[in-house]
Amino acid sequence: MTISLILVLSIFGLLIALYYARQVSQIPLTQGISDSAEAERLRKIHNAISKGAMAFLTQEYRYMIYFMVAFAVLISFLVDDPHTANLNEGIYTAFSFLLGAGVSMVSGFIGMKIATIGNARTTVSAKTSISKAFQVALQSGAVMGFGLVGLAVLGLIGVYLMLLVLLPSGVDTHILMEVIAGFGLGGSSIALFGRVGGGIFTKAADVGADLVGKVEQGIPEDDPRNPAVIADNVGDNVGDVAGMGADLFGSCAESTCAALVIGAVAFATNLEALLFPILITAIGIPLALATMFTARVQEEKDVAPTLKKMLIVSTVLSVVVMFFVTKWALPATFVISGSEYTNLGIYWCYFAGAVAGLVVGLLTEYYTSHDFAPVREVAKASETGAATNIIFGLALGYHSSVGSILAIAVSIYVPFYFGGMYGVAIAALGMLSTLIIGLAIDAYGPVADNAGGIAEMSGMEEGVRKRTDVLDAAGNTTAAIGKGFAIGSAILTALALFAAFLTRADYLQPDVDLMSSISLLDPLVLTGLFVGAMLPFLFSAMTMKSVGKAAFDMIEEVRRQFRTIDGIMEGKAEPDYAQCVAISTKAAVREMIPPGILILGTPIIVGFLFGIPALAGVLAGSLVAGGVLAISSANSGGAWDNAKKYVEAGNLGGKGTDTHKAAVVGDTVGDPLKDTSGPSLNILIKLSAILSLVFVPFFVEYGGLLVN
């Protein structure tokens, strides 16, 4: 029954995604436009954004396929449980890895495709009403939410069923779950390239467009005279749709795999309990659909509150329904790793994770929305120049991490008390309980942003641009909330994977009491902690420098076009948009490789040379330091962005003033923090942990070369 229910719900999610996709795509591209010249401009701009987005995705995926094949070969050779002499788990793990990577790539493609279809439809719908435009943008985002989660659930249960057939009969459940962990590794590996590559692309374009267009030439944002404006709009989809989707797909798959691995031995003969982690995500599909029915906007002031209300409603529905699901799926009492737990205790683990996710999201809104004091303080600081703007923005980011980390700390302690390591994994899934709605409103953001840009570049009337600006402003806030949610879930997911890593390593070494032997006083562990804490800073430095290099190329190209194309400022000549898109694509693909090598190479090298205790230290150090740095970076960047928009709305002198120029500089500094290095740290802490989990057999058999 459980398998059938999961399959039905996953297909139901995909059907919902298909329904919303049809609703959006059936809107005529030039609906309501009587001016043929305006219609032609809209078609041209829409096609340029769509082609640019798909060109980048195609180029990026080509490199991803090379990586997938090479890494699958590596897994097939290195991952083999020494306790199963007649079975090479590496081959099956590689198969699982390829499936996870493939599903993640399909999810990213779907999200990108619908986002580039929905942007212009949102623009033309804004001619009718704010309500219609909001529905189109939200439905475009919903395709990403329902499609991705539907594919994730179908992929997880699909790989489970396929492995039941492919693996020799009688294979222990814990080995099956260990192999399934490859699915999570595949999804997270694609997220690495999606987040890092997408982040570099979008920020190179954004920085180039802002510094040359706004600051040097004094032209508005999304002005068609700016050569980088199409690349900037493409980047919104590349980073915040495909990148975010891959990131959260990875979190969903990884936290599920962690719970499956930890609970494998205890629930070997209880199918409902064994598949409970997959069921949690599947149950979220009908709950998200119910939440979508609450999304109604009549006036402009309703947009932002409606999006926030959706997150709250989704959380409330999930914690109510999951009480009954938990009581049904899990036995009243059970034993994991020698400790007894109850199904009610596991529910409280789920509850703690779900509430913590909502709290982190609301705290992120407080520190990144210009409706509240912290961002207005940053904007006010711009009156005395860019330096004070940056100082206040950095201080805000550091301060903002306090509340979120405390909420996450509670969501760690409570689950550990009620459910041990398994409880922590369930808490991670609880935080992801609003994944569909979170993805929907996050993908809504770039669609609304693109809609505003298209309205500006098409020369539409002021009323249309006013409505798209309202949608975009709400999207900026939800994007910041989405990043906070993604980071919080990444921390809990990484901790769950860390627990699964230690659980699996301990099981494979029955003669070594690994859990008791790992001590902070162990020089290997202590050294690993410091090395792990250093990695997020090194990774951030690499990604920020990559954005700087890519932005330099973009700035030079934009300046060249303004200098050499006669009539560009007068609007008599058209910029070479395609060249700017090509520059961002080339830079992103080139610069995403070194950070990827750092993330993938460090756990394997440390585990092989220094053994599992040292690797445990590295994972713990990178998790703690990376989590705090990610929250701080993302919130600083979001605050700088919205401080600029607060000034542009007419406050503190408005556009064209020295205050505005200082705010633009702050926003430019914050761009790589909030859209590249900050979100990419999610991948660092998650991918390192899932990679370590998958390669546990290799570390047990061959690890500690230099210390044994």
Side-chain angles (χ1 to χ4, degrees):
M1 180 181 173
T2 304
I3 293 175
S4 299
L5 179 61
I6 293 171
L7 283 170
V8 168
L9 289 175
S10 64
I11 294 170
F12 181 56
L14 294 175
L15 290 174
I16 296 171
L18 179 62
Y19 169 77
Y20 283 130
R22 284 178 59 84
Q23 288 290 104
V24 173
S25 58
Q26 284 179 349
I27 298 172
L29 185 60
T30 57
Q31 176 181 272
I33 301 177
S34 55
D35 187 337
S36 59
E38 183 180 296
E40 182 57 31
R41 285 196 300 271
L42 183 141
R43 272 196 205 93
K44 190 174 181 179
I45 294 163
H46 171 262
N47 289 336
I49 295 172
S50 181
K51 286 180 181 178
M54 289 303 150
F56 169 78
L57 209 60
T58 301
Q59 186 80 350
E60 186 183 46
Y61 279 9
R62 187 178 296 120
Y63 280 84
M64 287 181 183
I65 290 171
Y66 296 149
F67 160 77
M68 286 165 55
V69 173
F71 209 73
V73 171
L74 184 68
I75 291 172
S76 64
F77 279 105
L78 297 185
V79 178
D80 185 19
D81 191 334
H83 295 87
T84 53
N86 300 321
L87 175 66
N88 184 355
E89 289 88 352
I91 297 173
Y92 300 98
T93 305
F95 169 75
S96 184
F97 166 82
L98 290 172
L99 280 177
V103 172
S104 184
M105 290 172 69
V106 171
S107 301
F109 177 83
I110 292 172
M112 184 78 86
K113 192 70 178 176
I114 191 62
T116 54
I117 290 173
N119 52 15
R121 271 82 177 175
T122 301
T123 305
V124 297
S125 297
K127 281 180 164 290
T128 304
S129 67
I130 188 74
S131 175
K132 181 64 177 176
F134 172 81
Q135 285 297 325
V136 175
L138 185 62
Q139 287 175 354
S140 299
V143 175
M144 181 68 171
F146 285 100
L148 184 145
V149 173
L151 284 171
V153 174
L154 186 62
L156 283 164
I157 196 66
V159 74
Y160 169 77
L161 294 173
M162 281 187 280
L163 289 172
L164 282 179
V165 175
L166 294 174
L167 285 168
S169 59
V171 171
D172 289 344
T173 304
H174 66 84
I175 294 176
L176 173 62
M177 297 307 165
E178 180 185 324
V179 171
I180 290 177
F183 184 89
L185 176 59
S188 194
S189 299
I190 298 305
L192 164 66
F193 297 107
R195 264 303 194 192
V196 177
I200 294 170
F201 181 105
T202 184
K203 290 306 105 182
D206 200 1
V207 170
D210 280 357
L211 286 185
V212 184
K214 285 186 178 181
V215 178
E216 294 183 8
Q217 299 296 331
I219 59 178
E221 189 172 1
D222 296 320
D223 193 300
R225 294 172 292 177
N226 193 329
V229 71
I230 294 295
D232 190 11
N233 280 276
V234 169
D236 291 335
N237 298 296
V238 165
D240 289 336
V241 178
M244 172 66 86
D247 182 2
L248 289 174
F249 174 88
S251 290
C252 179
E254 289 159 341
S255 55
T256 303
C257 290
L260 290 172
V261 170
I262 297 171
V265 176
F267 304 131
T269 59
N270 187 335
L271 190 62
E272 285 79 15
L274 182 67
L275 299 181
F276 176 64
I278 304 177
L279 185 61
I280 290 175
T281 306
I283 291 292
I285 293 171
L287 299 182
L289 180 61
T291 304
M292 288 291 293
F293 291 132
T294 67
R296 293 289 183 270
V297 167
Q298 298 298 327
E299 301 176 16
E300 295 177 357
K301 65 179 182 179
D302 298 334
V303 175
T306 296
L307 293 170
K308 188 194 300 185
K309 183 183 71 175
M310 289 176 69
L311 281 175
I312 296 171
V313 170
S314 182
T315 302
V316 171
L317 285 176
S318 70
V319 297
V320 171
V321 172
M322 283 307 302
F323 174 81
F324 301 99
V325 174
T326 306
K327 296 284 284 187
W328 168 74
L330 295 180
T333 61
F334 55 91
V335 176
I336 295 180
S337 300
S339 299
E340 186 175 274
Y341 305 108
T342 66
N343 54 15
L344 183 59
I346 297 302
Y347 169 74
W348 288 120
C349 299
Y350 177 91
F351 182 89
V355 172
L358 182 61
V359 170
V360 169
L362 295 177
L363 283 171
T364 303
E365 179 193 21
Y366 174 74
Y367 282 103
T368 58
S369 172
H370 55 58
D371 293 333
F372 302 102
V375 170
R376 295 189 178 190
E377 287 180 357
V378 176
K380 181 72 174 175
S382 303
E383 292 183 321
T384 50
T388 46
N389 170 281
I390 291 169
I391 291 170
F392 270 71
L394 287 172
L396 179 148
Y398 298 151
H399 193 272
S400 71
S401 65
V402 175
S404 294
I405 291 298
L406 289 176
I408 293 169
V410 172
S411 71
I412 293 170
Y413 180 82
V414 172
F416 194 85
Y417 177 82
F418 283 107
M421 295 295 193
Y422 184 74
V424 173
I426 297 300
L429 288 168
M431 187 171 282
L432 291 164
S433 60
T434 58
L435 178 59
I436 295 175
I437 296 301
L439 272 169
I441 65 175
D442 195 80
Y444 153 95
V447 172
D449 192 4
N450 271 200
I454 292 170
E456 179 76 22
M457 289 183 281
S458 301
M460 291 185 179
E461 60 268 27
E462 185 65 28
V464 174
R465 185 62 207 238
K466 183 183 177 183
R467 288 168 179 163
T468 57
D469 281 347
V470 171
L471 297 176
D472 184 26
N476 284 328
T477 300
T478 58
I481 292 173
K483 288 182 176 67
F485 170 77
I487 294 167
S489 64
I491 293 172
L492 275 187
T493 297
L495 184 61
L497 290 167
F498 180 67
F501 163 70
L502 292 179
T503 300
R504 190 77 191 111
D506 191 52
Y507 185 85
L508 292 177
Q509 302 176 96
D511 55 329
V512 179
D513 190 359
L514 184 65
M515 297 293 191
S516 301
S517 64
I518 294 179
S519 168
L520 287 177
L521 300 178
D522 185 335
L524 278 175
V525 177
L526 189 59
T527 303
L529 279 171
F530 277 94
V531 172
M534 169 273 295
L535 284 177
F537 293 90
L538 175 59
F539 179 80
S540 294
M542 294 171 72
T543 53
M544 290 180 70
K545 195 172 180 179
S546 293
V547 170
K549 289 179 182 177
F552 179 82
D553 294 341
M554 182 65 72
I555 289 168
E556 289 298 301
E557 173 61 22
V558 175
R559 285 172 174 169
R560 183 195 68 78
Q561 291 196 32
F562 275 120
R563 189 173 58 249
T564 60
I565 300 177
D566 294 332
I568 192 174
M569 283 298 292
E570 292 78 21
K572 298 177 180 178
E574 187 173 279
D576 187 354
Y577 300 127
Q579 182 61 23
C580 290
V581 173
I583 285 174
S584 265
T585 299
K586 182 179 178 181
V589 171
R590 180 188 71 233
E591 297 294 336
M592 72 182 183
I593 295 173
I597 293 173
L598 175 70
I599 295 179
L600 293 168
T602 300
I604 295 175
I605 292 172
V606 171
F608 178 57
L609 295 180
F610 303 102
I612 288 175
L615 180 55
V618 169
L619 294 177
S622 65
L623 170 59
V624 174
V628 177
L629 184 60
I631 292 172
S632 171
S633 298
N635 287 350
S636 282
W640 275 315
D641 185 11
N642 281 322
K644 177 201 68 176
K645 285 182 167 57
Y646 181 72
V647 176
E648 290 177 344
N651 301 292
L652 304 174
K655 294 182 180 180
T657 62
D658 288 340
T659 301
H660 180 230
K661 289 180 180 179
V664 170
V665 172
D667 177 39
T668 306
V669 172
D671 272 340
L673 290 176
K674 73 178 174 70
D675 289 326
T676 307
S677 61
S680 295
L681 287 169
N682 303 351
I683 314 302
L684 170 68
I685 60 179
K686 291 189 301 181
L687 185 53
S688 299
I690 188 74
L691 188 70
S692 301
L693 172 60
V694 170
F695 279 80
V696 162
F698 172 72
F699 298 142
V700 169
E701 187 73 6
Y702 303 105
L705 180 67
L706 297 183
V707 295
N708 292 334

